[in-house]
Amino acid sequence: MADGQMTDTEQAAAHAGRLSVVATATDGIRVLSLTGEIDHDTGETLRHALDVTCTARPRIVLDLRPVTFMDSTGINILVAAYQDVTRAGGWIRLAAPTDSVLRVLQLVGVDDLIDCRPTLREALAP
């Protein structure tokens, strides 16, 4: 292998670190704090974190403050999560997206579908 080229395993490891998800709970609400980029390479991490299988009336807040980039993969995952959570009788909210992420959400109308609040505190409020 030529110098400077990464193996498939090294490339996968490099991409895996681009999105982290930390799950906590506040007053029965699952809070997913996301850090990094949401794209084709990291989408499965988010998809897995948003799984509501066997969860009655899930309530989820995604803290998007440290998310620096989101492409159509992220949009599709959010729309699918909204549909799954709604079918299960729950709700999902987005908290504190950066200007660039908010712009993407607004361009495709996700902010009209999913409640988007300016702060985490407001997203957790009843």
Side-chain angles (χ1 to χ4, degrees), residues 87-111:
R87 274 194 296 270
W91 53 257
I92 185 170
R93 293 178 184 157
L94 306 178
T98 60
D99 289 342
S100 61
V101 171
L102 180 59
R103 179 79 175 129
V104 170
L105 296 170
Q106 291 171 333
L107 282 171
V108 296
V110 170
D111 64 320

Side-chain angles (χ1 to χ4, degrees), residues 32-71:
L32 301 176
S33 298
L34 310 178
T35 302
E37 299 179 356
I38 303 170
D39 58 22
H40 176 74
D41 294 325
T42 64
E44 194 56 37
T45 300
L46 180 57
R47 189 175 287 111
H48 179 71
L50 287 168
D51 184 11
V52 294
T53 306
C54 301
T55 305
R57 295 188 316 272
R59 297 179 300 158
I60 301 171
V61 170
L62 275 73
D63 182 358
L64 300 176
R65 285 177 293 180
V67 173
T68 57
F69 175 81
M70 181 187 301
D71 70 6

Side-chain angles (χ1 to χ4, degrees), residues 61-63 65 94-97 116-125:
V61 170
L62 275 73
D63 182 358
R65 285 177 293 180
L94 306 178
C116 190
R117 309 244 176 129
T119 67
L120 179 59
R121 175 176 281 192
E122 290 176 73
L124 290 169

Side-chain angles (χ1 to χ4, degrees), residues 73-102:
T73 302
I75 297 299
N76 291 329
I77 291 168
L78 291 178
V79 170
Y82 169 81
Q83 293 169 339
D84 291 344
V85 167
T86 301
R87 274 194 296 270
W91 53 257
I92 185 170
R93 293 178 184 157
L94 306 178
T98 60
D99 289 342
S100 61
V101 171
L102 180 59

